[in-house]
Short mmCIF file of all heavy atoms in Angstrom, two decimals:
data_model
loop_
_atom_site.label_atom_id
_atom_site.label_comp_id
_atom_site.label_asym_id
_atom_site.label_seq_id
_atom_site.Cartn_x
_atom_site.Cartn_y
_atom_site.Cartn_z
N LEU A 360 26.19 1.95 35.78
CA LEU A 360 26.50 1.24 37.01
C LEU A 360 28.00 1.15 37.20
O LEU A 360 28.72 0.75 36.28
CB LEU A 360 25.88 -0.16 36.93
CG LEU A 360 25.78 -0.95 38.24
CD1 LEU A 360 24.73 -0.36 39.17
CD2 LEU A 360 25.48 -2.42 37.94
N VAL A 361 28.49 1.55 38.37
CA VAL A 361 29.94 1.43 38.60
C VAL A 361 30.27 0.38 39.66
O VAL A 361 31.45 0.01 39.80
CB VAL A 361 30.59 2.80 38.97
CG1 VAL A 361 30.43 3.80 37.85
CG2 VAL A 361 30.02 3.36 40.26
N TYR A 362 29.28 -0.06 40.41
CA TYR A 362 29.54 -1.05 41.46
C TYR A 362 28.24 -1.75 41.83
O TYR A 362 27.17 -1.12 41.86
CB TYR A 362 30.14 -0.39 42.71
CG TYR A 362 30.49 -1.40 43.76
CD1 TYR A 362 31.72 -2.03 43.76
CD2 TYR A 362 29.57 -1.74 44.77
CE1 TYR A 362 32.04 -2.99 44.72
CE2 TYR A 362 29.88 -2.69 45.72
CZ TYR A 362 31.12 -3.30 45.69
OH TYR A 362 31.42 -4.25 46.62
N HIS A 363 28.32 -3.07 42.15
CA HIS A 363 27.15 -3.78 42.63
C HIS A 363 27.62 -4.98 43.47
O HIS A 363 28.51 -5.71 43.05
CB HIS A 363 26.29 -4.27 41.45
CG HIS A 363 25.11 -5.09 41.87
ND1 HIS A 363 23.98 -4.53 42.45
CD2 HIS A 363 24.91 -6.41 41.84
CE1 HIS A 363 23.12 -5.51 42.73
NE2 HIS A 363 23.65 -6.64 42.38
N ASP A 364 27.02 -5.17 44.64
CA ASP A 364 27.25 -6.40 45.40
C ASP A 364 25.96 -6.80 46.07
O ASP A 364 24.87 -6.29 45.70
CB ASP A 364 28.46 -6.25 46.35
CG ASP A 364 28.21 -5.27 47.49
OD1 ASP A 364 27.04 -4.95 47.81
OD2 ASP A 364 29.20 -4.81 48.08
N ASP A 365 26.04 -7.67 47.08
CA ASP A 365 24.82 -8.15 47.72
C ASP A 365 24.11 -7.09 48.58
O ASP A 365 22.92 -7.23 48.87
CB ASP A 365 25.12 -9.41 48.58
CG ASP A 365 26.19 -9.13 49.64
OD1 ASP A 365 27.12 -8.33 49.36
OD2 ASP A 365 26.08 -9.70 50.73
N LEU A 366 24.81 -6.04 48.95
CA LEU A 366 24.23 -5.05 49.86
C LEU A 366 24.01 -3.66 49.26
O LEU A 366 23.06 -2.97 49.64
CB LEU A 366 25.12 -4.89 51.10
CG LEU A 366 25.21 -6.10 52.03
CD1 LEU A 366 26.23 -5.83 53.15
CD2 LEU A 366 23.84 -6.43 52.62
N VAL A 367 24.90 -3.25 48.37
CA VAL A 367 24.79 -1.90 47.80
C VAL A 367 25.10 -1.88 46.31
O VAL A 367 25.71 -2.82 45.78
CB VAL A 367 25.74 -0.88 48.53
CG1 VAL A 367 25.58 -0.92 50.05
CG2 VAL A 367 27.18 -1.11 48.15
N SER A 368 24.67 -0.79 45.67
CA SER A 368 24.97 -0.57 44.25
C SER A 368 25.39 0.88 44.09
O SER A 368 25.01 1.74 44.92
CB SER A 368 23.72 -0.81 43.38
OG SER A 368 23.26 -2.15 43.59
N ALA A 369 26.14 1.17 43.04
CA ALA A 369 26.57 2.56 42.79
C ALA A 369 26.45 2.84 41.31
O ALA A 369 26.81 2.00 40.46
CB ALA A 369 28.00 2.78 43.26
N PHE A 370 25.94 4.04 40.98
CA PHE A 370 25.75 4.43 39.59
C PHE A 370 25.86 5.94 39.47
O PHE A 370 25.69 6.67 40.47
CB PHE A 370 24.40 3.93 39.05
CG PHE A 370 23.24 4.21 39.93
CD1 PHE A 370 22.55 5.40 39.85
CD2 PHE A 370 22.83 3.29 40.90
CE1 PHE A 370 21.46 5.68 40.68
CE2 PHE A 370 21.77 3.55 41.76
CZ PHE A 370 21.08 4.76 41.64
N ALA A 371 26.13 6.42 38.26
CA ALA A 371 26.30 7.85 38.05
C ALA A 371 24.97 8.57 38.22
O ALA A 371 23.90 8.08 37.77
CB ALA A 371 26.81 8.09 36.64
N ASP A 372 25.00 9.73 38.88
CA ASP A 372 23.80 10.57 39.02
C ASP A 372 23.40 11.11 37.66
O ASP A 372 24.26 11.53 36.87
CB ASP A 372 24.07 11.73 40.00
CG ASP A 372 22.80 12.39 40.47
OD1 ASP A 372 22.10 13.02 39.64
OD2 ASP A 372 22.46 12.28 41.66
N ILE A 373 22.10 11.12 37.36
CA ILE A 373 21.62 11.57 36.05
C ILE A 373 21.82 13.07 35.87
O ILE A 373 21.86 13.56 34.74
CB ILE A 373 20.12 11.17 35.90
CG1 ILE A 373 19.74 11.09 34.44
CG2 ILE A 373 19.21 12.11 36.66
CD1 ILE A 373 18.39 10.41 34.20
N ASN A 374 21.93 13.81 36.96
CA ASN A 374 22.08 15.27 36.91
C ASN A 374 23.31 15.67 37.75
O ASN A 374 23.17 16.17 38.87
CB ASN A 374 20.79 15.90 37.47
CG ASN A 374 20.81 17.39 37.43
OD1 ASN A 374 21.57 18.02 36.69
ND2 ASN A 374 19.99 18.04 38.27
N PRO A 375 24.52 15.42 37.20
CA PRO A 375 25.71 15.57 38.02
C PRO A 375 25.99 16.99 38.51
O PRO A 375 25.84 17.94 37.74
CB PRO A 375 26.85 15.10 37.07
CG PRO A 375 26.28 15.21 35.70
CD PRO A 375 24.81 15.01 35.82
N LYS A 376 26.37 17.08 39.76
CA LYS A 376 26.70 18.38 40.39
C LYS A 376 28.20 18.57 40.54
O LYS A 376 28.64 19.56 41.12
CB LYS A 376 26.05 18.47 41.79
CG LYS A 376 24.54 18.34 41.79
CD LYS A 376 23.89 19.65 41.34
CE LYS A 376 22.41 19.76 41.69
NZ LYS A 376 21.59 18.69 41.14
N ALA A 377 28.99 17.64 40.03
CA ALA A 377 30.43 17.72 40.05
C ALA A 377 30.94 16.84 38.93
O ALA A 377 30.17 16.05 38.33
CB ALA A 377 30.98 17.25 41.40
N GLU A 378 32.23 16.94 38.62
CA GLU A 378 32.80 16.14 37.54
C GLU A 378 32.48 14.64 37.76
O GLU A 378 32.13 13.94 36.83
CB GLU A 378 34.31 16.36 37.49
CG GLU A 378 35.01 15.61 36.38
CD GLU A 378 36.52 15.76 36.45
OE1 GLU A 378 37.01 16.61 37.22
OE2 GLU A 378 37.19 15.00 35.73
N HIS A 379 32.63 14.19 38.99
CA HIS A 379 32.25 12.84 39.34
C HIS A 379 31.12 12.92 40.34
O HIS A 379 31.31 13.50 41.43
CB HIS A 379 33.43 12.08 39.96
CG HIS A 379 34.64 12.02 39.08
ND1 HIS A 379 34.69 11.25 37.94
CD2 HIS A 379 35.82 12.65 39.16
CE1 HIS A 379 35.88 11.41 37.35
NE2 HIS A 379 36.57 12.24 38.08
N HIS A 380 29.95 12.43 40.01
CA HIS A 380 28.81 12.42 40.92
C HIS A 380 28.17 11.06 40.86
O HIS A 380 27.47 10.72 39.88
CB HIS A 380 27.81 13.52 40.54
CG HIS A 380 26.69 13.71 41.52
ND1 HIS A 380 25.80 14.75 41.48
CD2 HIS A 380 26.29 12.97 42.61
CE1 HIS A 380 24.93 14.65 42.46
NE2 HIS A 380 25.20 13.57 43.15
N ILE A 381 28.42 10.27 41.88
CA ILE A 381 27.96 8.90 41.93
C ILE A 381 27.03 8.71 43.11
O ILE A 381 27.27 9.28 44.19
CB ILE A 381 29.19 7.93 42.01
CG1 ILE A 381 30.00 8.04 40.71
CG2 ILE A 381 28.76 6.50 42.26
CD1 ILE A 381 31.38 7.46 40.79
N LEU A 382 25.98 7.95 42.92
CA LEU A 382 25.06 7.62 44.01
C LEU A 382 25.37 6.21 44.47
O LEU A 382 25.42 5.28 43.66
CB LEU A 382 23.60 7.69 43.53
CG LEU A 382 23.15 9.07 43.01
CD1 LEU A 382 21.75 8.96 42.38
CD2 LEU A 382 23.16 10.11 44.11
N ILE A 383 25.60 6.07 45.77
CA ILE A 383 25.83 4.75 46.34
C ILE A 383 24.59 4.45 47.18
O ILE A 383 24.25 5.21 48.11
CB ILE A 383 27.10 4.71 47.21
CG1 ILE A 383 28.27 5.39 46.50
CG2 ILE A 383 27.45 3.27 47.61
CD1 ILE A 383 29.48 5.64 47.38
N VAL A 384 23.88 3.38 46.82
CA VAL A 384 22.56 3.15 47.41
C VAL A 384 22.50 1.75 48.03
O VAL A 384 23.14 0.81 47.54
CB VAL A 384 21.43 3.29 46.35
CG1 VAL A 384 21.61 4.54 45.53
CG2 VAL A 384 21.34 2.09 45.44
N THR A 385 21.71 1.63 49.10
CA THR A 385 21.48 0.30 49.67
C THR A 385 20.57 -0.46 48.71
O THR A 385 19.63 0.13 48.14
CB THR A 385 20.81 0.40 51.04
OG1 THR A 385 19.62 1.19 50.93
CG2 THR A 385 21.74 1.05 52.07
N ASN A 386 20.80 -1.73 48.52
CA ASN A 386 19.90 -2.52 47.65
C ASN A 386 18.51 -2.59 48.26
O ASN A 386 17.52 -2.57 47.54
CB ASN A 386 20.47 -3.91 47.40
CG ASN A 386 21.76 -3.89 46.59
OD1 ASN A 386 22.04 -2.90 45.92
ND2 ASN A 386 22.50 -4.96 46.63
N LYS A 387 18.45 -2.66 49.57
CA LYS A 387 17.17 -2.64 50.27
C LYS A 387 16.61 -1.21 50.25
O LYS A 387 17.36 -0.27 50.57
CB LYS A 387 17.39 -3.10 51.73
CG LYS A 387 16.17 -3.08 52.61
CD LYS A 387 16.54 -3.53 54.02
CE LYS A 387 15.44 -3.23 55.01
NZ LYS A 387 15.87 -3.52 56.40
N PRO A 388 15.37 -1.03 49.84
CA PRO A 388 14.81 0.32 49.72
C PRO A 388 14.44 0.94 51.05
O PRO A 388 13.26 1.23 51.31
CB PRO A 388 13.61 0.13 48.80
CG PRO A 388 13.15 -1.27 49.08
CD PRO A 388 14.39 -2.07 49.42
N ILE A 389 15.42 1.21 51.92
CA ILE A 389 15.15 1.88 53.20
C ILE A 389 14.77 3.32 52.85
O ILE A 389 15.52 4.00 52.13
CB ILE A 389 16.43 1.89 54.08
CG1 ILE A 389 16.98 0.45 54.24
CG2 ILE A 389 16.15 2.52 55.42
CD1 ILE A 389 18.42 0.41 54.72
N PRO A 390 13.64 3.83 53.32
CA PRO A 390 13.17 5.15 52.87
C PRO A 390 14.05 6.32 53.25
O PRO A 390 14.19 7.26 52.49
CB PRO A 390 11.80 5.31 53.50
CG PRO A 390 11.38 3.93 53.91
CD PRO A 390 12.61 3.15 54.16
N SER A 391 14.65 6.29 54.44
CA SER A 391 15.52 7.40 54.84
C SER A 391 16.31 6.99 56.05
O SER A 391 16.07 5.93 56.67
CB SER A 391 14.71 8.67 55.17
OG SER A 391 14.35 8.71 56.52
N VAL A 392 17.27 7.85 56.46
CA VAL A 392 18.05 7.55 57.66
C VAL A 392 17.12 7.38 58.86
O VAL A 392 17.38 6.58 59.75
CB VAL A 392 19.10 8.67 57.91
CG1 VAL A 392 19.74 8.52 59.28
CG2 VAL A 392 20.15 8.67 56.81
N SER A 393 16.01 8.13 58.85
CA SER A 393 15.09 8.06 59.98
C SER A 393 14.44 6.68 60.12
O SER A 393 13.83 6.37 61.15
CB SER A 393 13.99 9.11 59.81
OG SER A 393 14.57 10.38 59.73
N ALA A 394 14.57 5.83 59.10
CA ALA A 394 13.92 4.51 59.14
C ALA A 394 14.93 3.38 59.34
O ALA A 394 14.56 2.21 59.31
CB ALA A 394 13.16 4.28 57.83
N VAL A 395 16.21 3.70 59.58
CA VAL A 395 17.19 2.62 59.70
C VAL A 395 17.05 1.87 61.03
O VAL A 395 16.56 2.44 62.01
CB VAL A 395 18.65 3.10 59.56
CG1 VAL A 395 18.90 3.76 58.23
CG2 VAL A 395 19.07 4.00 60.71
N THR A 396 17.44 0.61 61.02
CA THR A 396 17.47 -0.19 62.24
C THR A 396 18.86 -0.79 62.34
O THR A 396 19.65 -0.76 61.38
CB THR A 396 16.43 -1.33 62.20
OG1 THR A 396 16.86 -2.28 61.21
CG2 THR A 396 15.03 -0.82 61.86
N THR A 397 19.15 -1.42 63.47
CA THR A 397 20.47 -2.03 63.65
C THR A 397 20.70 -3.14 62.61
O THR A 397 21.83 -3.38 62.22
CB THR A 397 20.61 -2.62 65.07
OG1 THR A 397 19.49 -3.48 65.31
CG2 THR A 397 20.64 -1.51 66.10
N GLU A 398 19.61 -3.74 62.12
CA GLU A 398 19.73 -4.77 61.06
C GLU A 398 20.39 -4.21 59.79
O GLU A 398 20.97 -4.95 59.01
CB GLU A 398 18.31 -5.19 60.65
CG GLU A 398 17.94 -6.59 60.96
CD GLU A 398 16.51 -6.85 60.50
OE1 GLU A 398 16.17 -6.57 59.35
OE2 GLU A 398 15.73 -7.31 61.37
N ASP A 399 20.24 -2.91 59.60
CA ASP A 399 20.75 -2.29 58.37
C ASP A 399 22.23 -1.91 58.47
O ASP A 399 22.81 -1.43 57.48
CB ASP A 399 19.94 -1.01 58.04
CG ASP A 399 18.48 -1.33 57.80
OD1 ASP A 399 18.19 -2.34 57.16
OD2 ASP A 399 17.61 -0.56 58.31
N GLU A 400 22.84 -2.10 59.64
CA GLU A 400 24.21 -1.63 59.84
C GLU A 400 25.20 -2.20 58.82
O GLU A 400 26.06 -1.45 58.33
CB GLU A 400 24.65 -1.84 61.28
CG GLU A 400 23.98 -0.84 62.22
CD GLU A 400 24.21 -1.10 63.70
OE1 GLU A 400 24.90 -2.11 64.02
OE2 GLU A 400 23.71 -0.30 64.51
N PRO A 401 25.13 -3.49 58.46
CA PRO A 401 26.09 -3.97 57.45
C PRO A 401 25.98 -3.21 56.12
O PRO A 401 27.00 -2.83 55.53
CB PRO A 401 25.72 -5.45 57.28
CG PRO A 401 25.10 -5.81 58.61
CD PRO A 401 24.35 -4.58 59.03
N ALA A 402 24.78 -2.96 55.66
CA ALA A 402 24.60 -2.24 54.37
C ALA A 402 25.05 -0.77 54.52
O ALA A 402 25.67 -0.23 53.62
CB ALA A 402 23.15 -2.32 53.93
N LEU A 403 24.74 -0.19 55.66
CA LEU A 403 25.12 1.22 55.85
C LEU A 403 26.63 1.36 55.94
O LEU A 403 27.21 2.31 55.39
CB LEU A 403 24.45 1.78 57.11
CG LEU A 403 22.90 1.77 57.08
CD1 LEU A 403 22.32 2.14 58.42
CD2 LEU A 403 22.39 2.70 55.99
N GLY A 404 27.28 0.43 56.61
CA GLY A 404 28.75 0.45 56.66
C GLY A 404 29.35 0.24 55.27
O GLY A 404 30.34 0.87 54.92
N ARG A 405 28.72 -0.62 54.48
CA ARG A 405 29.21 -0.91 53.12
C ARG A 405 29.20 0.36 52.25
O ARG A 405 30.04 0.52 51.36
CB ARG A 405 28.36 -2.03 52.49
CG ARG A 405 28.85 -2.55 51.16
CD ARG A 405 30.12 -3.35 51.27
NE ARG A 405 30.01 -4.51 52.14
CZ ARG A 405 29.50 -5.71 51.81
NH1 ARG A 405 29.08 -5.90 50.57
NH2 ARG A 405 29.44 -6.69 52.65
N LEU A 406 28.24 1.28 52.51
CA LEU A 406 28.22 2.53 51.72
C LEU A 406 29.57 3.22 51.84
O LEU A 406 30.10 3.76 50.85
CB LEU A 406 27.12 3.47 52.26
CG LEU A 406 25.66 3.03 52.10
CD1 LEU A 406 24.73 4.08 52.74
CD2 LEU A 406 25.28 2.85 50.64
N PHE A 407 30.16 3.20 53.02
CA PHE A 407 31.46 3.87 53.22
C PHE A 407 32.62 3.09 52.60
O PHE A 407 33.52 3.72 52.03
CB PHE A 407 31.71 4.12 54.72
CG PHE A 407 30.95 5.31 55.24
CD1 PHE A 407 29.67 5.15 55.77
CD2 PHE A 407 31.49 6.58 55.17
CE1 PHE A 407 28.97 6.25 56.24
CE2 PHE A 407 30.79 7.68 55.64
CZ PHE A 407 29.52 7.51 56.18
N THR A 408 32.61 1.77 52.71
CA THR A 408 33.75 1.04 52.13
C THR A 408 33.69 1.14 50.61
O THR A 408 34.75 1.23 49.94
CB THR A 408 33.79 -0.44 52.60
OG1 THR A 408 32.51 -1.02 52.46
CG2 THR A 408 34.21 -0.52 54.04
N VAL A 409 32.50 1.19 50.05
CA VAL A 409 32.39 1.36 48.59
C VAL A 409 32.78 2.79 48.18
O VAL A 409 33.42 2.99 47.16
CB VAL A 409 30.98 0.95 48.09
CG1 VAL A 409 30.77 1.33 46.65
CG2 VAL A 409 30.79 -0.55 48.29
N ALA A 410 32.44 3.76 49.02
CA ALA A 410 32.86 5.14 48.73
C ALA A 410 34.39 5.20 48.70
O ALA A 410 34.98 5.82 47.79
CB ALA A 410 32.31 6.11 49.79
N ALA A 411 35.04 4.55 49.64
CA ALA A 411 36.52 4.55 49.68
C ALA A 411 37.08 3.86 48.44
O ALA A 411 38.09 4.28 47.87
CB ALA A 411 37.00 3.86 50.94
N LYS A 412 36.44 2.79 47.99
CA LYS A 412 36.89 2.06 46.79
C LYS A 412 36.73 2.95 45.55
O LYS A 412 37.63 3.03 44.70
CB LYS A 412 36.07 0.76 46.60
CG LYS A 412 36.41 0.03 45.33
CD LYS A 412 35.50 -1.14 45.10
CE LYS A 412 35.51 -1.71 43.69
NZ LYS A 412 36.61 -1.39 42.83
N ILE A 413 35.58 3.63 45.44
CA ILE A 413 35.35 4.51 44.27
C ILE A 413 36.38 5.63 44.26
O ILE A 413 36.95 5.97 43.23
CB ILE A 413 33.90 5.04 44.29
CG1 ILE A 413 32.93 3.89 44.01
CG2 ILE A 413 33.72 6.18 43.30
CD1 ILE A 413 31.46 4.23 44.24
N ALA A 414 36.67 6.19 45.47
CA ALA A 414 37.67 7.26 45.56
C ALA A 414 39.01 6.75 45.05
O ALA A 414 39.72 7.45 44.29
CB ALA A 414 37.79 7.75 47.00
N LYS A 415 39.37 5.54 45.44
CA LYS A 415 40.65 4.95 45.02
C LYS A 415 40.65 4.76 43.50
O LYS A 415 41.60 5.14 42.82
CB LYS A 415 40.86 3.62 45.73
CG LYS A 415 42.24 3.09 45.64
CD LYS A 415 42.42 1.86 46.52
CE LYS A 415 43.80 1.28 46.27
NZ LYS A 415 43.89 -0.10 46.62
N ASP A 416 39.53 4.21 42.97
CA ASP A 416 39.44 3.96 41.52
C ASP A 416 39.58 5.27 40.74
O ASP A 416 40.10 5.29 39.64
CB ASP A 416 38.09 3.29 41.18
CG ASP A 416 38.00 1.87 41.68
OD1 ASP A 416 39.03 1.31 42.12
OD2 ASP A 416 36.89 1.31 41.70
N LEU A 417 39.03 6.35 41.29
CA LEU A 417 39.06 7.65 40.59
C LEU A 417 40.33 8.41 40.86
O LEU A 417 40.57 9.49 40.28
CB LEU A 417 37.85 8.50 41.01
CG LEU A 417 36.47 7.99 40.56
CD1 LEU A 417 35.37 8.85 41.18
CD2 LEU A 417 36.36 8.01 39.03
N GLY A 418 41.16 7.90 41.76
CA GLY A 418 42.43 8.57 42.10
C GLY A 418 42.27 9.81 42.93
O GLY A 418 43.07 10.75 42.85
N VAL A 419 41.18 9.88 43.74
CA VAL A 419 40.94 11.08 44.55
C VAL A 419 41.02 10.81 46.07
O VAL A 419 40.62 11.64 46.88
CB VAL A 419 39.60 11.75 44.20
CG1 VAL A 419 39.58 12.17 42.74
CG2 VAL A 419 38.40 10.84 44.50
N SER A 420 41.53 9.65 46.44
CA SER A 420 41.59 9.29 47.88
C SER A 420 42.33 10.38 48.67
O SER A 420 41.91 10.71 49.79
CB SER A 420 42.31 7.97 48.09
OG SER A 420 41.65 6.95 47.43
N GLU A 421 43.41 10.90 48.11
CA GLU A 421 44.22 11.89 48.84
C GLU A 421 43.75 13.32 48.53
O GLU A 421 43.70 14.15 49.43
CB GLU A 421 45.70 11.76 48.45
CG GLU A 421 46.28 10.38 48.76
CD GLU A 421 46.12 9.98 50.24
OE1 GLU A 421 46.26 10.86 51.10
OE2 GLU A 421 45.85 8.81 50.50
N SER A 422 43.39 13.60 47.29
CA SER A 422 42.99 14.96 46.93
C SER A 422 41.63 15.35 47.53
O SER A 422 41.41 16.49 47.87
CB SER A 422 42.97 15.15 45.41
OG SER A 422 42.11 14.20 44.81
N GLY A 423 40.74 14.37 47.69
CA GLY A 423 39.51 14.59 48.41
C GLY A 423 38.23 14.50 47.61
O GLY A 423 38.24 14.53 46.39
N TYR A 424 37.17 14.42 48.34
CA TYR A 424 35.82 14.24 47.75
C TYR A 424 34.82 14.55 48.83
O TYR A 424 35.18 14.85 49.99
CB TYR A 424 35.66 12.81 47.21
CG TYR A 424 36.05 11.72 48.18
CD1 TYR A 424 35.11 11.09 48.96
CD2 TYR A 424 37.39 11.33 48.32
CE1 TYR A 424 35.47 10.09 49.85
CE2 TYR A 424 37.77 10.34 49.19
CZ TYR A 424 36.80 9.70 49.97
OH TYR A 424 37.16 8.73 50.85
N ARG A 425 33.54 14.54 48.49
CA ARG A 425 32.50 14.85 49.48
C ARG A 425 31.43 13.77 49.46
O ARG A 425 31.01 13.33 48.36
CB ARG A 425 31.86 16.22 49.18
CG ARG A 425 30.76 16.61 50.17
CD ARG A 425 30.37 18.07 50.00
NE ARG A 425 31.53 18.90 50.29
CZ ARG A 425 31.68 20.15 49.82
NH1 ARG A 425 30.76 20.69 49.09
NH2 ARG A 425 32.77 20.82 50.12
N LEU A 426 30.96 13.38 50.64
CA LEU A 426 29.85 12.42 50.76
C LEU A 426 28.68 13.16 51.40
O LEU A 426 28.86 13.83 52.42
CB LEU A 426 30.28 11.24 51.64
CG LEU A 426 31.54 10.51 51.17
CD1 LEU A 426 31.93 9.45 52.19
CD2 LEU A 426 31.31 9.87 49.80
N ILE A 427 27.51 13.05 50.77
CA ILE A 427 26.31 13.75 51.28
C ILE A 427 25.17 12.76 51.38
O ILE A 427 24.94 11.96 50.46
CB ILE A 427 25.89 14.91 50.32
CG1 ILE A 427 26.97 15.99 50.26
CG2 ILE A 427 24.55 15.51 50.76
CD1 ILE A 427 26.68 17.10 49.26
N VAL A 428 24.45 12.80 52.50
CA VAL A 428 23.22 12.00 52.65
C VAL A 428 22.11 12.98 53.01
O VAL A 428 22.11 13.54 54.11
CB VAL A 428 23.36 10.93 53.73
CG1 VAL A 428 22.06 10.13 53.87
CG2 VAL A 428 24.53 9.97 53.43
N ASN A 429 21.19 13.23 52.11
CA ASN A 429 20.06 14.12 52.36
C ASN A 429 18.97 13.33 53.08
O ASN A 429 18.70 12.16 52.73
CB ASN A 429 19.51 14.69 51.05
CG ASN A 429 20.50 15.62 50.38
OD1 ASN A 429 21.23 16.34 51.05
ND2 ASN A 429 20.53 15.62 49.07
N CYS A 430 18.33 13.96 54.06
CA CYS A 430 17.28 13.27 54.86
C CYS A 430 16.03 14.10 54.92
O CYS A 430 16.05 15.21 55.46
CB CYS A 430 17.78 13.01 56.27
SG CYS A 430 19.36 12.16 56.30
N GLY A 431 14.94 13.56 54.38
CA GLY A 431 13.62 14.21 54.50
C GLY A 431 13.51 15.47 53.69
O GLY A 431 14.47 15.94 53.07
N PRO A 432 12.29 16.05 53.69
CA PRO A 432 12.00 17.23 52.84
C PRO A 432 12.93 18.41 53.12
O PRO A 432 13.46 19.01 52.20
CB PRO A 432 10.55 17.57 53.17
CG PRO A 432 9.98 16.36 53.83
CD PRO A 432 11.11 15.58 54.42
N ASP A 433 13.14 18.75 54.38
CA ASP A 433 13.99 19.89 54.69
C ASP A 433 15.45 19.63 54.39
O ASP A 433 16.22 20.56 54.17
CB ASP A 433 13.83 20.32 56.17
CG ASP A 433 12.52 21.01 56.44
OD1 ASP A 433 11.73 21.20 55.47
OD2 ASP A 433 12.24 21.37 57.60
#
Side-chain angles (χ1 to χ4, degrees):
L360 194 71
V361 298
Y362 183 86
H363 177 74
D364 68 19
D365 57 325
L366 293 175
V367 308
S368 302
F370 48 88
D372 195 293
I373 203 167
N374 181 21
K376 300 284 196 301
E378 182 186 348
H379 303 288
H380 186 171
I381 294 165
L382 300 172
I383 313 169
V384 314
T385 54
N386 293 342
K387 177 181 166 187
I389 306 162
S391 90
V392 170
S393 302
V395 301
T396 69
T397 53
E398 246 180 52
D399 299 319
E400 286 172 358
L403 298 172
R405 187 69 60 82
L406 295 177
F407 281 91
T408 48
V409 170
K412 175 187 164 17
I413 290 170
K415 194 172 174 203
D416 291 348
L417 293 174
V419 299
S420 299
E421 300 304 322
S422 55
Y424 50 95
R425 180 168 299 156
L426 304 175
I427 296 176
V428 180
N429 293 325
C430 307
D433 286 358

